[in-house]
Amino acid sequence: MACDTAFRVIARRHLVDLTRHHDATCKGDPVALHRMRMALTHLRTAILFFSPMVADATRTRVKVELKWLNAHLGIMRDLDVAIERLKAIDKRRPQAAPHYRAWTTKRAEIHRHLARALRSARYQRLVKSASDWIERGPWSINEEKQAVLMRASPVAAYSLRKLARWQEKLLKKSRKLVTMGVKKRHRVRILNKKLSYSIGSFEDLFSDKKFSRYQTALKYLRKAQKSLGQLNDDARGHSLAAALEREGVRVSFQFLSHKREKRLIQEATAAYRNLATLE
């Protein structure tokens, strides 16, 4: 399969998945919201993965609009995760958890903003322009020799080189995970997500013995992603709690304990050690 065909297959798949969960997300379904955001992240990752090939002026505009959508979905998802943690304080009577009502009121407010964005003309233009660009954007008809070669290049060879570079970069950064602050740790998580999502996107596109190594790597990447994701959720919950306090709502729930943070970092570090041993 050529690179241009592979990009279209992957990007189209994730754009369709994004729109599939639109209506349910507008109605407030947290599961649909999560799936919509995952589809969006997969789509943005695919664009980044094939960035040398798909670089053009339209891509720049599409990326800006996808970032706008991600911001709206992101804050809503952060609130949902924080509220789930809040419920866990008292599973029998979640409404009795400290300031539960303040959080749900905030969620209702943020959801109104999100639903308005998803029903806007801007969102509709985004979906159409992204679809048009994927299928027949300027990148696809660039007649420069290098551009033509990139589009025709076998996706297996390109992917294996790209995945190897991303994994090398991830392992290098992960060595300092124990001493990292929240922001740098978040960047490691994002790189981990990009690598694991890219591997997942290629699993059903081609069969190659060399690629089987990355299918094994995916197991360790997902373990690290789970731990880093929980750390990020805790940090975001802490930030949201601080924002509510600035609005005059006292929040006593602690999202990020030192003991939990230490355990999750150890789990992610162990996953990266196992990843590094793969041949």
Side-chain angles (χ1 to χ4, degrees):
M1 185 181 292
C3 279
D4 59 350
T5 302
F7 171 69
R8 286 192 178 98
V9 169
I10 294 169
R12 188 188 304 128
R13 175 191 300 166
H14 298 315
L15 184 60
V16 168
D17 203 26
L18 174 77
T19 57
R20 179 182 295 125
H21 301 292
H22 171 271
D23 290 348
T25 300
C26 286
K27 294 175 183 176
D29 184 343
V31 175
L33 166 70
H34 178 51
R35 290 175 179 169
M36 189 175 187
R37 190 167 182 235
M38 282 188 65
L40 176 60
T41 304
H42 272 97
L43 176 57
R44 296 176 77 196
T45 300
I47 294 171
L48 178 64
F49 194 86
F50 288 99
S51 57
M53 181 185 73
V54 299
D56 60 32
T58 304
R59 182 193 66 171
T60 302
R61 293 194 295 272
V62 168
K63 285 175 65 178
V64 168
E65 293 304 288
L66 293 176
K67 186 176 181 180
W68 163 79
L69 179 59
N70 186 63
H72 280 282
L73 294 173
I75 189 171
M76 191 74 225
R77 175 61 183 167
D78 290 340
L79 268 170
D80 282 343
V81 172
I83 289 171
E84 285 303 310
R85 287 286 309 280
L86 201 59
K87 287 179 181 179
I89 297 173
D90 190 335
K91 293 182 179 179
R92 291 170 300 175
R93 295 181 300 113
Q95 287 78 9
H99 315 296
Y100 178 85
R101 184 172 297 178
W103 287 84
T104 54
T105 299
K106 188 68 176 178
R107 186 192 189 280
E109 175 191 334
I110 296 299
H111 177 259
R112 285 194 294 273
H113 289 292
L114 173 61
R116 193 176 302 123
L118 292 178
R119 293 183 176 120
S120 68
R122 182 174 182 176
Y123 172 82
Q124 297 298 330
R125 286 195 301 270
L126 164 58
V127 172
K128 185 179 186 308
S129 61
S131 179
D132 290 345
W133 173 72
I134 290 166
E135 299 299 334
R136 61 191 76 86
W139 67 271
S140 66
I141 56 174
N142 187 339
E143 292 301 323
E144 293 180 9
K145 183 178 180 180
Q146 186 61 27
V148 173
L149 289 174
M150 281 193 293
R151 292 198 300 271
S153 175
V155 70
Y158 174 81
S159 300
L160 290 170
R161 290 194 302 270
K162 189 86 169 186
L163 292 172
R165 288 198 300 271
W166 279 14
Q167 180 173 307
E168 182 181 1
K169 183 178 179 181
L170 174 62
L171 288 174
K172 183 178 180 180
K173 289 183 177 294
S174 70
R175 295 186 193 114
K176 299 180 181 179
L177 196 61
V178 175
T179 59
M180 281 182 185
V182 173
K183 289 184 178 179
K184 286 187 176 181
R185 197 164 60 210
H186 175 64
R187 286 197 285 270
V188 171
R189 170 181 165 269
I190 294 300
L191 183 53
N192 190 111
K193 184 182 288 189
K194 289 174 181 176
L195 180 57
S196 60
Y197 279 11
S198 296
I199 294 171
S201 292
F202 287 112
E203 281 187 301
D204 64 341
L205 290 190
F206 60 85
S207 177
D208 190 298
K209 290 182 179 179
K210 293 180 181 179
F211 188 72
S212 64
R213 175 190 175 281
Y214 286 103
Q215 291 173 313
T216 303
L218 194 55
K219 176 177 68 174
Y220 298 120
L221 288 167
R222 284 171 175 165
K223 286 182 178 180
Q225 186 66 35
K226 182 178 179 181
S227 297
L228 294 175
Q230 289 174 342
L231 284 166
N232 184 67
D233 290 342
D234 286 352
R236 290 296 301 141
H238 183 76
S239 297
L240 288 167
L244 278 177
E245 287 190 334
R246 287 194 295 271
E247 294 178 12
V249 179
R250 185 181 176 187
V251 180
S252 59
F253 180 57
Q254 186 178 15
F255 280 91
L256 189 60
S257 69
H258 177 70
K259 183 178 179 180
R260 175 178 164 86
E261 181 180 24
K262 183 178 179 181
R263 175 178 60 79
L264 291 172
I265 290 174
Q266 287 175 340
E267 290 174 357
T269 301
Y272 287 130
R273 279 200 301 267
N274 289 326
L275 179 62
T277 62
L278 293 179
E279 296 182 358

